């Protein structure tokens, strides 16, 4: 699966905890605009995610929203953190596996006694492992 993606973890108070993007765009201005648009679309999809979350027992909600050529897929944890990925290439199996592995990583961070729940994740180890997962499943 190759294409553009934007991944964000949203806390249960609707605050961003972690974000990462991959874009084939070149210039810094376009990259800033791209990031702003992705943040807007991800935040706008929170209402759709909240609606879908109550209609199923699954943590993986599949594609919950669309914006132009972007698909919005979501995963909701037991603690109501939302994992959101905006992607332009459809591949539900890879995205589901990606979410499951990211959830395992997130659990390890959340179990750290020095991590304050619902605060931004600043761990470089988490960032590097997430990059590896992105290369494996999304790029």
């Amino acid at each position: 699966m190759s294409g553009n993606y934007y991944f964000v973890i949203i806390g249960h108070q609707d605050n961003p905890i972690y974000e990462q993007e991959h874009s084939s765009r070149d210039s810094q201005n376009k990259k800033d605009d791209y990031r702003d648009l992705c943040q807007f679309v991800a935040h706008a999809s929170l209402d759709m995610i909240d609606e879908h979350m109550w209609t199923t027992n699954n943590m993986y909600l599949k594609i919950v929203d669309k914006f132009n050529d972007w698909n919005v897929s979501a995963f909701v944890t037991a603690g109501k953190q939302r994992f959101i990925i905006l992607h332009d290439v459809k591949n539900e199996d890879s995205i589901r596996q990606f979410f499951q592995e990211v959830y395992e990583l997130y659990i390890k961070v959340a179990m750290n006694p020095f991590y304050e729940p619902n605060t931004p994740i600043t761990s470089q180890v988490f960032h590097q492992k997430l990059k590896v997962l992105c290369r494996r499943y999304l790029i």
Side-chain angles (χ1 to χ4, degrees):
M1 174 177 175
S2 67
N4 301 317
Y5 72 86
Y6 171 78
F7 172 72
V8 64
I9 299 175
I10 304 289
H12 64 274
Q13 297 172 341
D14 292 346
N15 59 316
I17 293 176
Y18 181 84
E19 64 181 337
Q20 182 175 348
E21 67 181 293
H22 170 73
S23 173
S24 58
R25 290 165 176 77
D26 300 343
S27 76
Q28 185 62 32
N29 279 342
K30 286 185 180 179
K31 222 174 184 183
D32 289 341
D33 291 343
Y34 169 76
R35 177 175 228 139
D36 291 342
L37 177 64
C38 289
Q39 290 172 344
F40 176 76
V41 172
H43 189 74
S45 67
L46 287 175
D47 290 335
M48 296 298 293
I49 293 168
D50 289 342
E51 284 180 23
H52 279 80
M53 160 171 92
W54 296 110
T55 62
T56 182
N57 291 333
N58 297 330
M59 296 173 95
Y60 175 53
L61 303 179
K62 299 184 180 179
I63 295 176
V64 294
D65 202 3
K66 287 187 173 201
F67 178 79
N68 292 342
D69 58 342
W70 289 95
N71 297 308
V72 180
S73 296
F75 183 95
V76 180
T77 69
K80 301 286 188 274
Q81 279 77 17
R82 276 95 21 126
F83 297 175
I84 301 171
I85 188 164
L86 279 64
H87 52 98
D88 55 0
V89 177
K90 236 184 196 183
N91 190 348
E92 288 191 19
D93 289 335
S94 291
I95 292 172
R96 182 181 48 78
Q97 291 172 336
F98 171 75
F99 277 143
Q100 288 175 340
E101 297 219 18
V102 170
Y103 184 48
E104 289 177 19
L105 278 177
Y106 178 75
I107 292 295
K108 290 177 184 176
V109 169
M111 289 176 48
N112 183 340
F114 299 110
Y115 175 70
E116 183 71 29
N118 216 32
T119 59
I121 297 172
T122 58
S123 168
Q124 287 300 318
V125 173
F126 181 83
H127 181 71
Q128 292 302 322
K129 288 183 178 181
L130 194 65
K131 275 183 148 179
V132 169
L133 291 176
C134 288
R135 271 186 249 128
R136 184 183 310 157
Y137 294 114
L138 302 177
I139 299 176

